[in-house]
Amino acid sequence: MFIIAPVLLGYELKATPLPSNTETISSELGNEPHNHNKDKGEHDEHSHESAEKDEEHEEHGEGITLSPQKMSLANIKVESIVPEYKNSAVYAPGEIKANGYTSYVVSPRTESVIISRHAALGEHVEIGQKLVTLFSEAMAQAQADYLIASTEWLRVKKLGNKTVSESRLLQAEVTYNASYGQLIALGLTDKAINDISSKDIKAFGQYTLTAQREGVVLQDDFIQGQRVDAGDTVMLLADEKQLWVEAKVSPNKKLSLSINTPATVKLEGQSYKAKVIQEAHTIDPQTRTRIIRLAVENTEDKLHSGMFVKVYFQFATKQQVMAVPENSLVRSADGDWTVFVEDHPGEFKTVEVELGRALGEFREIFGIESGTRIVTKGAFFVASEIAKGGFDPHNH
């Protein structure tokens, strides 16, 4: 019996290393193996550059730095804004009028004919200066009566009481005084009356009106040879050192305008101080407005009767407010109002603000803390300098 024993046949197995999947795929795609450390460095560098650019853009968007020399040349003024009492303004149209208290109407006191003029419209005349010469039949009779009365009075007075009775002396004196008074009533001056005795009788009836006060001829609506009645205005003289302004206020406006209420009168960009002197208690039948009369000083002689002006009545605020000059406000690209704030000397940034009431040449603002230093003069220059930098000057 044969016993068959199993024989184990040994096989030598050799393990052949396989290429990695990553390298295989990369080889098949023709790509190089990815370097993570290199990408990380490039990403960090790119992020740093972007951050620097963002930081630079943000710094530029906030404002600008100006040197002291440039600020001085541009006349830039920076002030700290704190709450103060300001004057609010209420507008009303107005018209310059002659001061009725210092004006003088030149007019004959009897029916007359104008012979010649001695002063022209707009001319400045002095007291006693000749204005116009007229002729009147009533004046001729009055001059003749005076000449007779004065001659008789001188004759009787020279004879005295010994020759002339007391009654005759008294009658001559009364007649003389009456004739003298008649000439005064007709507008003759003492000098003109005293010259009658030496005057040619052919010139009787002629008389000259003179300036009773210093002023400017504002009106002379007459023609030589024209007949005028007693009381007709021949000339109007006015002292224009102080004029009136008649402001027309809507009756619906509830304004408490007491005497001496301050106001500003504006004409062609110039401002004049004025004050309320009268308020009419009736409504103008034509304009249906209240008439407020103001007095304005005309020291530079630039205001004249008939000019139309803007009147701004000034009212002090009841509380302290934050206010800035109107020219320190600049509109942003989206229409918001901004001011330039100085954080550090010469460094300015734009800050949006909300506007409140108009307070004369100032404007009430909100959004700025007390003590903030802002550009109150030269804001336009700062805005233009920021704009020249190539970015939005209003931080938008």
Side-chain angles (χ1 to χ4, degrees), residues 178-196:
S179 62
Y180 190 95
Q182 179 66 19
L183 293 175
I184 292 292
L186 291 176
L188 262 63
T189 62
D190 292 336
K191 183 180 184 304
I193 295 173
N194 294 330
D195 291 341
I196 289 177

Side-chain angles (χ1 to χ4, degrees), residues 83-113:
E84 294 179 326
Y85 290 103
K86 294 291 184 180
N87 289 330
S88 60
V90 176
Y91 165 76
E95 182 180 355
I96 301 294
K97 297 283 187 178
N99 189 330
Y101 297 158
T102 59
S103 300
Y104 181 79
V105 173
V106 180
S107 63
R109 300 180 185 181
T110 182
E111 185 180 358
S112 306
V113 175

Side-chain angles (χ1 to χ4, degrees), residues 35-80:
N35 190 333
H36 293 284
N37 293 333
K38 181 179 180 182
D39 283 354
K40 182 177 179 181
E42 291 179 353
H43 177 73
D44 291 344
E45 183 178 355
H46 177 72
S47 299
H48 180 67
E49 290 179 356
S50 299
E52 286 183 349
K53 290 183 178 180
D54 292 341
E55 183 179 355
E56 181 180 0
H57 177 74
E58 181 180 357
E59 180 182 353
H60 285 176
E62 287 185 353
I64 194 172
T65 300
L66 299 177
S67 64
Q69 293 80 6
K70 182 171 288 188
M71 290 179 62
S72 177
L73 290 174
N75 198 21
I76 295 175
K77 186 177 181 180
V78 182
E79 295 180 284
S80 297

Side-chain angles (χ1 to χ4, degrees), residues 275-318:
K275 62 180 180 180
V276 175
I277 57 174
Q278 289 177 344
E279 178 184 5
H281 293 281
T282 57
I283 302 300
D284 188 292
Q286 295 181 346
T287 61
R288 310 304 301 172
T289 56
R290 293 166 56 195
I291 303 298
I292 309 299
R293 181 174 292 168
L294 306 96
V296 58
E297 298 296 331
N298 188 30
T299 54
E300 298 181 357
D301 196 31
K302 293 184 178 181
L303 299 176
H304 303 285
S305 181
M307 288 181 169
F308 292 102
V309 295
K310 297 178 180 179
V311 180
Y312 295 91
F313 296 101
Q314 306 294 328
F315 299 93
T317 56
K318 296 181 179 179

Side-chain angles (χ1 to χ4, degrees), residues 89-140:
V90 176
Y91 165 76
E95 182 180 355
I96 301 294
K97 297 283 187 178
N99 189 330
Y101 297 158
T102 59
S103 300
Y104 181 79
V105 173
V106 180
S107 63
R109 300 180 185 181
T110 182
E111 185 180 358
S112 306
V113 175
I114 298 176
I115 298 177
S116 60
R117 70 166 70 231
H118 306 290
L121 185 67
E123 182 179 344
H124 186 276
V125 297
E126 303 292 339
I127 297 176
Q129 183 174 333
K130 292 182 179 181
L131 300 176
V132 60
T133 296
L134 307 96
F135 173 84
S136 168
E137 295 86 351
M139 179 63 74

